[in-house]
Amino acid sequence: DHVSFSYPGAAEPVLRDIVLDLTPGQTLVLTGATGSGKSTLLQLVPRLADATSGSVRLDGADVRDLPLERLRQAVGCAFEDATLFSASVRENVMFGAPDADEDAVEAALTAAQARFAFDLPWGLDTRIGEQGMALSGGQRQRIALARAILARPDVLILDDPLSALDVHTEERVTRALHRILAGSTALVVAHRPSTVALADTVALLSGGVIAASGSHRQLLATNPEYAALMDPTPLPNPLHREASA
């Protein structure tokens, strides 16, 4: 609700007068160029940072007025840089749902395409080291995503959680997320068209403001900046041209 955010000492705010309204069960995908403030905006929901002005509201209540434990139970997160702990895979996945049974843990790992965990030396009891250093980047993201899925939060915050996955794994995870997000309210940062396809609504963040919103198809047709962001064609490499010449 008219949210602005500035980092201490910064000359300009990162976010300016952001207004977004998510209805229960809606999936809103937030996209924009690198540095446009997408991750910062997501961090305001679970209060990893607080808005400089304006407010973030959950069911009408300012998140700053909610007990932090209650807020963190209501909002589940999976970020591009996954936070994992020096503990077993099972403990990491169950961090937000300590009473979950084995079937639920397995279902969450399956949805996140993280069944590789069963093939680790000690299965789900394998300790993965601080920040999951024993795993690849894509494996860390999938374990963190399984944790967010298992917690079954009222609001799911996903900050580019598939960026380290190969195309085929991303496709399988995206299909699973379609089913999971059907009953959740979700705010998702994404860059790839396949992940943007999860959206009921897409919002383009540019220059610290919401520059446009609508369906993926509408924005492709009407907004050149959005169309350029979604274009998977790589820029030509001038070194290749010189070599061929």
Side-chain angles (χ1 to χ4, degrees), residues 42-173:
L42 261 59
Q43 289 171 6
L44 303 181
V45 181
R47 291 195 66 199
L48 300 178
D50 281 332
T52 306
S53 63
S55 62
V56 178
R57 300 181 182 276
L58 183 62
D59 286 338
D62 191 318
V63 294
R64 290 169 291 198
D65 296 332
L66 297 173
L68 198 56
E69 182 178 0
R70 177 182 163 196
L71 176 63
R72 300 283 170 83
Q73 287 173 343
V75 179
C77 305
F79 294 106
E80 181 178 10
D81 296 323
T83 299
L84 299 178
F85 304 97
S86 183
S88 69
V89 171
R90 179 181 285 101
E91 289 170 316
N92 271 281
V93 173
M94 295 178 65
F95 188 73
D99 298 325
D101 59 27
E102 286 295 307
D103 289 343
V105 171
E106 182 175 358
L109 288 166
T110 300
Q113 295 296 308
R115 292 191 64 88
F116 68 85
F118 293 100
D119 298 325
L120 295 173
W122 291 277
L124 301 190
D125 293 320
T126 303
R127 295 182 67 84
I128 57 176
E130 190 70 31
Q131 291 295 347
M133 62 183 180
L135 303 176
S136 70
Q139 289 174 329
R140 289 195 294 271
Q141 284 189 340
R142 283 177 279 167
I143 293 295
L145 183 57
R147 179 172 61 204
I149 291 169
L150 182 63
R152 295 187 177 279
D154 297 325
V155 179
L156 188 58
I157 301 294
L158 302 177
D159 186 3
D160 213 8
L162 312 182
S163 62
L165 305 187
D166 63 80
V167 173
H168 300 296
T169 304
E170 182 205 11
E171 181 182 358
R172 292 193 294 271
V173 174

Side-chain angles (χ1 to χ4, degrees), residues 24-46:
Q26 181 184 18
T27 296
L28 188 146
V29 166
L30 189 65
T31 193
T34 300
S36 59
K38 302 180 300 296
S39 296
T40 300
L41 179 56
L42 261 59
Q43 289 171 6
L44 303 181
V45 181

Side-chain angles (χ1 to χ4, degrees), residues 2 4 7 20-21 25 28 36 77 96 116 141-142 173 175 189 205 212 215 217 229 234 236 238:
H2 296 283
S4 297
Y7 286 102
L20 283 174
D21 188 13
L28 188 146
S36 59
C77 305
F116 68 85
Q141 284 189 340
R142 283 177 279 167
V173 174
R175 284 201 302 267
V189 162
L205 189 59
S215 71
R217 182 173 296 183
L229 283 170

